Amino acid sequence: MSEVPSHTLHICVTCRPKGAPPEAVRDGRLLFEAVAALHADWPGRALVALNGVECMSGCDRACTVALSGPGKPSYLFCDKTPTPETAAAALDLAAQYAASDTGVLARGERPGPFRSGILAKIPPGL
Ligand code: FES
């Protein structure tokens, strides 16, 4: 029996650029699919699950990506683009997060696409 990953990388699949019509291809879906393709063979997948979600209430700052883990702050990142660089960086960030005892992601240590655009940092539960 395989263990359930303790951390989760959430990607909003319904994010679209501001002003894009509802029927437009969703940038969030594109980003999720790019990350999923990498995640399928990713060594860190035993620790970090990938979760496609519909909306994380950051719609005006699409695309949104979040991280959560036990006893760690949760992060919500925004303004991400569905590029191969961002997809790879999302997994690098998730690996950093899972490897950290505190879950704190210092700005200067985060992969380039994630050095900016934090919409929320939520403390862990008590
Ligand atoms: S549609 Fe992506 S955060 Fe709302």
Side-chain angles (χ1 to χ4, degrees):
M1 193 168 100
S2 63
E3 272 189 45
V4 175
S6 52
H7 297 71
T8 306
L9 173 64
H10 312 268
I11 298 179
C12 175
V13 299
T14 50
C15 271
R16 58 188 158 122
K18 208 170 186 172
E23 65 275 15
V25 173
R26 303 294 174 124
D27 278 2
R29 171 63 67 184
L30 296 175
L31 181 58
F32 174 78
E33 288 174 358
V35 174
L38 297 173
H39 186 264
D41 297 320
W42 186 53
R45 63 180 286 133
L47 279 177
V48 183
L50 177 61
N51 184 33
V53 297
E54 293 187 356
C55 196
M56 292 190 276
S57 294
C59 322
D60 284 347
R61 304 282 302 273
C63 298
T64 57
V65 173
L67 282 166
S68 59
K72 299 181 181 181
S74 297
Y75 288 87
L76 177 61
F77 292 89
C78 60
D79 301 331
K80 300 301 163 245
T81 51
T83 64
E85 180 193 17
T86 303
L91 291 184
D92 289 345
L93 185 75
Q96 265 182 354
Y97 183 69
S100 165
D101 288 340
T102 63
V104 173
L105 296 168
R107 180 189 187 118
E109 294 168 13
R110 298 195 300 261
F114 289 89
R115 288 201 178 150
S116 61
I118 288 187
L119 205 52
K121 178 183 174 191
I122 302 163
L126 297 177

